[in-house]
Amino acid sequence: MSALDPQTLFQEYNGSENAGFATIHAPVHHTPGGTPYLQVPGVVTLARPQTNPTGLAGFLDGFDTSLGFSHYLDDPTTLPESSQLCKIAGQTCYMSFGPKRTMNENASRYFENLKSSGHGSVFEHANFSLLLYGVSRSLTHELIRHRAGMGFSQLSQRYVSGRMLRFVERPEYRDDAQLHTQFEQRVDRAAEEYAQLTKRLLEMQKEGSTILSAEARTDLRKKVQQAARSVLPNETEAPIVVTGNVRSWRHVIEMRADAHAETEIRELAVRIFLCLHLADPILFGDYEIEQLADGTHAVKTGYRKV
């Protein structure tokens, strides 16, 4: 196994960046029957920290001038806003605003010390929001087990119609002609069966079926779709917006981008790491990417469970 440069892999995955917001898009494919599906995860950075260090001026000026706290804001080195936020939080713990403080140019060393000592609470102040798509329902069922420090908003199969149905092909199927063909046939059947069920349930509803009745129009639609979704496989795409603090995202990366993690979720976790590393190469700079024997990638760090 050999270590890879994050920027190189980011480009290999056709990643793009705009004003510090990283994106790795996933192309959409179609079966011969026209059913849309995706083969790799997509990651879109929706939000990242915006920090206001100058707001500290009134606070710092309120201390004895001999402490030199007012010069804290004169640091000439600019940090990623997430690193700046976490550094301010950490230095507040010890009132390390004087001339002997760790300067921004040494921020990497500062955070290395925090990581090595397990002082992970400082990393909880910076949050990133990501849109994840090209991910299956089975993957998101694993992902949402990461509850601490995370927020989730996921596509609802009760409220979204079959017109938005897409599926996700597992990595193991892509390069095997038989498995790939079977996948395409399977999702074509699932899409068709869903459409047939929806049609029949709507007919029953119009005929006055009690179990499908409702007063509100949205509830009528929901009654049909919640019944029809029972035939959808775990391969159904389940887009999800996830917000997490840096400490929580680090835990996701360490657990799910590990060489022993499940293949599909590892593909996602590696892409999450690449987008977060681009946003803040200091807070996520201790990770190494490995290319495994099967050609896939994994991420590891010497500072687990910060």
Side-chain angles (χ1 to χ4, degrees), residues 61 63-71:
D61 289 344
F63 291 89
D64 190 318
T65 57
S66 65
L67 294 171
F69 284 1
S70 61
H71 298 294

Side-chain angles (χ1 to χ4, degrees), residues 140-157:
T140 58
H141 271 54
E142 291 294 314
L143 182 65
I144 61 173
R145 293 171 63 189
H146 295 273
R147 295 302 308 172
M150 309 292 284
F152 303 98
S153 296
Q154 186 175 19
L155 174 147
S156 170
Q157 292 179 342

Side-chain angles (χ1 to χ4, degrees), residues 39-284:
Q39 293 184 312
V40 295
V43 179
V44 179
T45 306
L46 295 176
R48 57 188 177 88
Q50 183 175 11
T51 307
N52 177 33
T54 57
L56 292 171
F59 168 67
L60 298 173
D61 289 344
F63 291 89
D64 190 318
T65 57
S66 65
L67 294 171
F69 284 1
S70 61
H71 298 294
Y72 184 80
L73 301 178
D74 299 331
D75 197 314
T77 303
T78 301
L79 297 177
E81 298 203 55
S82 41
S83 283
Q84 185 67 78
L85 173 58
C86 292
K87 186 167 179 283
I88 290 171
Q91 291 180 313
T92 298
C93 294
Y94 303 101
M95 291 302 290
S96 300
F97 299 115
K100 293 184 179 181
R101 70 185 183 276
T102 301
M103 302 293 285
N104 284 355
E105 66 177 350
N106 296 316
S108 292
R109 186 182 67 192
Y110 174 79
F111 286 115
E112 289 291 311
N113 289 336
L114 289 179
K115 293 170 187 175
S116 63
S117 64
H119 192 26
S121 62
V122 171
F123 296 87
E124 295 177 7
H125 297 285
N127 289 275
F128 289 87
S129 297
L130 307 178
L131 165 66
L132 311 176
Y133 68 98
V135 293
S136 71
R137 198 78 177 180
S138 59
L139 184 155
T140 58
H141 271 54
E142 291 294 314
L143 182 65
I144 61 173
R145 293 171 63 189
H146 295 273
R147 295 302 308 172
M150 309 292 284
F152 303 98
S153 296
Q154 186 175 19
L155 174 147
S156 170
Q157 292 179 342
R158 297 179 73 200
Y159 286 92
V160 175
S161 76
R163 294 179 61 190
M164 272 71 83
L165 266 184
R166 303 195 304 191
F167 299 88
V168 177
E169 184 176 16
R170 284 196 58 84
E172 296 87 349
Y173 304 162
R174 298 171 199 157
D175 297 324
D176 184 271
Q178 179 180 340
L179 292 177
H180 175 70
T181 298
Q182 289 176 342
F183 164 78
E184 289 192 323
Q185 293 172 344
R186 185 166 59 251
V187 297
D188 276 342
R189 287 196 301 271
E192 177 61 24
E193 189 168 3
Y194 181 90
Q196 291 174 354
L197 269 174
T198 300
K199 180 180 178 182
R200 177 54 190 152
L201 289 164
L202 284 170
E203 291 173 350
M204 292 170 59
Q205 199 171 62
K206 291 177 181 178
E207 292 167 0
S209 172
T210 303
I211 199 169
L212 294 171
S213 64
E215 294 183 5
R217 187 174 181 178
T218 55
D219 286 338
L220 286 170
R221 185 175 69 247
K222 183 173 65 177
K223 286 288 187 74
V224 168
Q225 289 164 182
Q226 70 187 15
R229 68 177 176 170
S230 63
V231 299
L232 295 177
N234 276 341
E235 295 166 313
T236 307
E237 185 193 24
I240 186 169
V241 172
V242 184
T243 297
N245 63 57
V246 168
R247 190 182 199 182
S248 298
W249 278 123
R250 286 179 60 90
H251 180 62
V252 170
I253 293 166
E254 287 154 29
M255 295 294 291
R256 304 302 185 173
D258 184 82
H260 302 289
E262 193 272 337
T263 310
E264 183 187 5
I265 202 168
R266 176 155 46 84
E267 280 198 328
L268 172 66
V270 169
R271 286 165 170 77
I272 288 173
F273 161 71
L274 292 173
C275 289
L276 294 177
H277 181 272
L278 188 146
D280 197 320
I282 296 176
L283 297 184
F284 295 94

Side-chain angles (χ1 to χ4, degrees), residues 1-6 8-9 287-292 297-298 300:
M1 295 185 290
S2 57
L4 297 175
D5 173 58
T8 300
L9 189 58
Y287 290 96
E288 289 186 355
I289 303 171
E290 297 178 322
Q291 182 164 3
L292 305 180
H297 299 98
K300 66 176 184 179

